[in-house]
Amino acid sequence: MKKTFQSIGYKLLSTLVIATTFPMLVYCFFFSYDMRKSAENSYIEQTQHTWQIVSSNIEHSLSTSIDVANKGIYLNGTLQDLLFSRDGNAFSYAESANSSLLFSYMTNIYSMTPEATQIQFSTYKAGKSFLLTTKNLQKYLRNNSLEKNSPSPVPAFQAYIMPPHRQTSYGHQLNHISLSQEEEYADTPGTGELVFTVCLPIYHLPSPMTPIGQLRIDISMEFFQKVCNFLYDQSEQFFIVDSDYHVIFASDPSAIGTMTSEPWIQSLIGQAADDDDLFVSKTSGDALRICQKLPGDSYHWYMLKSIPKHTIYQSSNNQLATLLLTFSICLLITILINGYSILHYTNPLKKATTFLNHINTHTQNLNSRLSEYVTYKSEDEIGILFRSLEEMMDTINNFVIRQYELEIINRTTELKMLEAQINPHFIYNTLQCLATKSLEHHDQEQYDYISSFGQLMQYSMDTKHTLVTINEELSHIDRYIKLQKMRFTNHLSVFFEVEETVRKIIVPKMILQPLIENSFKHGNLFKREKGTILVQAHLKEDRLLHVYIVDNGCTPSPEKLAKINKLLIKLKQEYTHKLLTPNRLSSIDGSREKPACQDADLSIKNAAENLYATNNIGLTNVLLRLLLNFGQECSMELYANELGGTTVHLIISHKTLWNQKPTDT
């Protein structure tokens, strides 16, 4: 059953609409989820990266202060001996040398902790308390009978941090506090600004059993505000909470220093503590909760944040709306442009299909040209296809012409040979009798000459085979040279340099013997004392067969060589022009007038007659038969060689198959 014809343009348009609309619908379905998930992951990754930097800054700042405090004590033997001394008079007043040494140590700590509001140092052995206020670098010294020597919660070289609290004066009478308020200020909770305190117990090494003193550094909450201010905005909740759920810092100032009871905070801290995860994220309801453990030996803090999802998805939702609108507009434009392009490209294909169908049903119109029926000027695959189709049609036309002319020439040759033919059987029988007589008289040399002559005539008079192998051509010229040697006594050397694979290539018959005959006739080889003929044949990288006939005979003058080569080129050009003439096929089937072809034939005839006039009939004969079989893909050239003779160079297109026997024409 014959299928219904469907235009390729309709198929392409249908496929385009389906292939763009269906993915768009699927894309719209998954895009929203993917964009939200991507925005959430991107936010988490960005937060994790930022928090790692902030946590590193916090850990570096606090550890630096603690390291400076440790080194200032444990690397200063004089200061450590003073602290271990029980002599209370060692620190008699604030400006004494020993007190100045300790205050200098405290000032050095302040230089490394610019956010510190005051630094207090207690010596349990001497019963003294030192206080340095950083606002105006005021120094205070008092007896410290209230503070007892007690075990420390951390070993030597380590510190612990007290949660945020109101700053106190540690029992010291400050300049802005009256004497009547000193004891009350020392015993009541702090009324100063909100601070957190770094406590560093001091031991007398190498026996770190019981502290001999303690250093306290009160740090303002501005420390966290500077570091964490860019980590949250107004719509987000941000906390730094310790393992006991004390709020160290929060985006809501009122929550700082309190105990948090938020379930999500306790849940995330518990998860991070149980799994030893440094970073935990969890989606709950309409909010995304993130928790990260801060690294540090002196504290166990966690940074937490609660972000409303609409804040995270706001940017992705805007992108989604813009992208969908843009995609819809682009889809419409794409369909219009592609629809126009499809019609632009398929219409010429449709015309070309109609043209080829017409050619297929009307074979007498093979000379019609596709470019006259379809106009396509773009340099693309379709343009190459149309040019290739037109070149293929020209090749078919040329092939038809060549086959037709070959048939005419072969038939003409057969008729002429029949007209002048002597019965070949009579010739062969006569030669056989002569050969037998030679054997009867034991004249082997004469027998060889007669056999060679018989084989030479048989090869020349065989009109059924017009294509032979290179090896058969070489055997023929070998017999021809052998008979030529019989006529002359001069020494003649013949060399063959032919590759084994080249010997199997198929070429037109009788293309080498006329060139060898030219060497004898025009080169006067037998007039030389030592004549030489060299036959070379090989394939080069260009996949063309190159044949050289080299002799050391007489060389024509440069002017004559130039004239012969010019006539050979002109003969090839005229013959090629004749094959490519659009009216050539019409001149054969008689469907058109023939002036153009007659002019081409006349030009070829004139070129050939010019070559005949130069007494080079053999060259003309060989070139015409090469042109007839290979068209413009062959050439012939003559030039003088280093032996003092002439070289004939043939170039033939290698189109035949290896190991294939010659076909009959």
Side-chain angles (χ1 to χ4, degrees):
M1 182 178 179
K2 186 177 180 180
K3 294 183 178 180
T4 305
F5 173 78
Q6 290 183 345
S7 172
I8 190 174
Y10 172 77
K11 292 181 181 179
L12 290 175
L13 284 174
S14 302
T15 304
L16 175 65
V17 173
I18 296 174
T20 52
T21 304
F22 179 75
M24 175 184 172
L25 296 177
V26 176
Y27 179 79
C28 292
F29 181 77
F30 289 102
F31 183 78
S32 177
Y33 173 79
D34 186 69
M35 284 289 290
R36 289 172 177 244
K37 195 67 178 177
S38 177
E40 185 175 318
N41 293 336
S42 176
Y43 186 87
I44 291 174
E45 291 177 2
Q46 182 179 0
T47 301
Q48 183 178 10
H49 177 71
T50 306
W51 281 13
Q52 287 176 351
I53 297 175
V54 171
S55 61
S56 298
N57 291 339
I58 293 175
E59 194 272 338
H60 175 73
S61 298
L62 296 179
S63 63
T64 300
S65 300
I66 294 172
D67 288 344
V68 170
N70 279 322
K71 291 177 181 179
I73 288 290
Y74 296 115
L75 297 181
N76 190 332
T78 302
L79 184 59
Q80 194 171 28
D81 292 340
L82 287 174
L83 296 177
F84 190 70
S85 175
R86 294 181 178 273
D87 184 7
N89 295 325
F91 304 98
S92 57
Y93 57 94
E95 300 299 332
S96 66
N98 293 335
S99 299
S100 297
L101 181 62
L102 189 56
F103 277 120
S104 175
Y105 161 69
M106 296 167 67
T107 303
N108 188 38
I109 295 175
Y110 168 64
S111 66
M112 301 303 298
T113 314
E115 292 82 8
T117 58
Q118 60 184 17
I119 301 174
Q120 190 266 341
F121 194 95
S122 297
T123 60
Y124 300 148
K125 296 287 185 180
K128 298 292 182 180
S129 174
F130 298 84
L131 179 67
L132 175 67
T133 60
T134 60
K135 185 176 181 180
N136 49 13
L137 294 180
Q138 292 294 318
K139 304 172 184 177
Y140 301 93
L141 174 64
R142 66 183 292 272
N143 292 325
N144 191 21
S145 59
L146 297 177
E147 190 166 3
K148 303 295 184 180
N149 186 3
S150 58
S152 172
V154 294
F157 304 108
Q158 293 189 13
Y160 63 93
I161 298 179
M162 298 175 59
H165 56 87
R166 293 294 175 179
Q167 180 176 277
T168 68
S169 64
Y170 298 98
H172 289 267
Q173 180 181 355
L174 305 182
N175 292 339
H176 60 279
I177 300 177
S178 63
L179 292 175
S180 61
Q181 294 177 321
E182 180 178 356
E183 294 299 328
E184 179 183 358
Y185 188 83
D187 296 334
T188 59
T191 58
E193 67 173 301
L194 203 61
V195 297
F196 69 96
T197 303
V198 178
C199 301
L200 179 65
I202 307 300
Y203 294 86
H204 186 266
L205 300 179
S207 300
M209 300 297 294
T210 303
I212 61 175
Q214 181 165 254
L215 174 70
R216 298 181 180 92
I217 306 173
D218 290 343
I219 301 177
S220 172
M221 300 311 296
E222 291 182 359
F223 171 79
F224 289 111
Q225 291 176 352
K226 291 179 180 180
V227 175
C228 304
N229 188 41
F230 66 95
L231 297 180
Y232 58 90
D233 55 31
Q234 295 180 352
S235 63
E236 300 172 349
Q237 292 180 306
F238 179 78
F239 299 89
I240 297 180
V241 181
D242 65 12
S243 57
D244 296 326
Y245 307 119
H246 290 101
V247 179
I248 306 300
F249 180 77
S251 56
D252 180 11
S254 62
I256 299 176
T258 63
M259 294 283 293
T260 180
S261 58
E262 291 283 350
W264 69 271
I265 294 179
Q266 297 179 4
S267 174
L268 287 179
I269 291 178
Q271 182 178 348
D274 293 341
D275 300 338
D276 292 329
D277 291 332
L278 294 179
F279 191 87
V280 178
S281 62
K282 183 178 180 181
T283 302
S284 176
D286 295 332
L288 172 66
R289 275 69 186 267
I290 303 175
C291 174
Q292 177 170 320
K293 185 177 181 180
L294 274 69
D297 298 330
S298 304
Y299 52 85
H300 300 283
W301 291 348
Y302 299 88
M303 280 196 299
L304 302 104
K305 183 190 281 191
S306 177
I307 313 100
K309 286 186 177 180
H310 66 81
T311 302
I312 301 175
Y313 300 152
Q314 182 177 2
S315 176
S316 62
N317 290 338
N318 293 337
Q319 292 179 3
L320 175 62
T322 303
L323 186 60
L324 290 177
L325 178 61
T326 305
F327 187 83
S328 300
I329 296 174
C330 292
L331 176 62
L332 179 60
I333 296 174
T334 301
I335 292 176
L336 293 176
I337 294 176
N338 286 339
Y340 172 79
S341 299
I342 289 172
L343 293 176
H344 173 72
Y345 292 119
T346 56
N347 281 338
L349 288 175
K350 185 176 180 181
K351 291 182 179 180
T353 303
T354 304
F355 172 78
L356 293 176
N357 287 334
H358 179 74
I359 292 296
N360 189 37
T361 55
H362 301 81
T363 55
Q364 67 274 18
N365 292 328
L366 283 175
N367 57 323
S368 299
R369 300 184 66 81
L370 181 61
S371 58
E372 298 175 357
Y373 190 79
V374 181
T375 301
Y376 193 86
K377 299 181 179 179
S378 301
E379 291 294 331
D380 51 22
E381 289 83 355
I382 297 179
I384 295 174
L385 173 63
F386 286 169
R387 287 195 298 274
S388 299
L389 284 173
E390 194 161 51
E391 290 173 0
M392 182 181 67
M393 293 180 64
D394 290 340
T395 303
I396 294 174
N397 291 344
N398 293 337
F399 178 77
V400 172
I401 294 169
R402 188 177 300 171
Q403 292 300 112
Y404 181 82
E405 291 182 341
L406 277 173
E407 184 179 354
I408 293 176
I409 290 174
N410 288 335
R411 290 182 180 179
T412 303
T413 302
E414 289 179 5
L415 289 175
K416 290 183 178 180
M417 291 186 65
L418 287 174
E419 292 175 358
Q421 181 176 346
I422 302 176
N423 190 341
H425 294 287
F426 171 74
I427 297 176
Y428 298 151
N429 291 335
T430 302
L431 292 175
Q432 184 63 37
C433 291
L434 293 175
T436 304
K437 290 292 184 180
S438 298
L439 288 177
E440 291 177 355
H441 291 82
H442 305 288
D443 192 349
Q444 183 65 38
E445 182 180 7
Q446 192 69 22
Y447 174 79
D448 292 340
Y449 287 141
I450 294 174
S451 298
S452 296
F453 179 68
Q455 293 172 359
L456 189 71
M457 288 195 62
Q458 185 178 12
Y459 185 84
S460 302
M461 297 177 66
D462 182 9
T463 59
K464 293 183 179 181
H465 301 87
T466 58
L467 297 177
V468 296
T469 62
I470 290 287
N471 194 54
E472 291 177 289
E473 279 288 279
L474 295 176
S475 298
H476 179 63
I477 63 174
D478 185 53
R479 290 190 289 267
Y480 174 77
I481 294 174
K482 185 176 181 179
L483 292 174
Q484 288 286 11
K485 286 182 177 181
M486 179 183 67
R487 298 173 54 202
F488 304 96
T489 59
N490 303 58
H491 177 72
L492 177 65
S493 299
V494 182
F495 303 96
F496 295 95
E497 295 180 2
V498 182
E499 301 171 359
E500 287 300 321
T501 53
V502 173
R503 291 177 178 270
K504 302 174 184 179
I505 295 178
I506 298 172
V507 295
K509 185 178 178 182
M510 295 290 290
I511 63 169
L512 299 183
Q513 187 271 334
L515 303 180
I516 299 295
E517 184 177 351
N518 269 2
S519 296
F520 288 111
K521 181 178 179 181
H522 300 290
N524 296 323
L525 282 177
F526 287 113
K527 292 183 179 181
R528 287 186 172 270
E529 183 177 351
K530 293 183 179 181
T532 301
I533 293 180
L534 171 63
V535 180
Q536 295 177 318
H538 55 268
L539 284 172
K540 290 191 175 180
E541 295 179 356
D542 52 8
R543 303 302 299 166
L544 294 177
L545 176 62
H546 292 256
V547 180
Y548 301 88
I549 307 298
V550 183
D551 64 56
N552 65 341
C554 299
T555 305
S557 64
E559 294 78 10
K560 187 174 182 180
L561 282 176
K563 182 179 180 180
I564 293 174
N565 286 326
K566 184 176 180 181
L567 291 173
L568 290 174
I569 293 173
K570 183 177 180 181
L571 178 61
K572 178 181 176 180
Q573 291 175 345
E574 295 294 344
Y575 188 86
T576 303
H577 176 70
K578 180 183 79 167
L579 285 182
L580 297 178
T581 302
N583 294 332
R584 182 64 181 170
L585 187 60
S586 300
S587 67
I588 295 175
D589 60 24
S591 60
R592 292 189 182 180
E593 297 180 359
K594 308 179 182 180
C597 296
Q598 291 175 356
D599 291 343
D601 293 336
L602 183 60
S603 298
I604 296 174
K605 183 178 179 181
N606 292 337
E609 289 178 352
N610 289 333
L611 275 172
Y612 292 149
T614 60
N615 203 18
N616 285 280
I617 300 175
L619 298 177
T620 306
N621 186 291
V622 172
L623 181 57
L624 281 175
R625 281 186 291 112
L626 289 178
L627 291 172
L628 189 62
N629 284 274
F630 298 100
Q632 59 182 347
E633 297 182 352
C634 64
S635 64
M636 177 187 292
E637 182 183 6
L638 276 72
Y639 52 85
N641 56 44
E642 297 177 353
L643 301 178
T646 307
T647 297
V648 181
H649 180 196
L650 300 181
I651 301 177
I652 304 173
S653 174
H654 177 218
K655 291 185 175 180
T656 53
L657 297 176
W658 299 86
N659 303 322
Q660 181 181 357
K661 294 182 179 181
T663 56
D664 296 346
T665 302

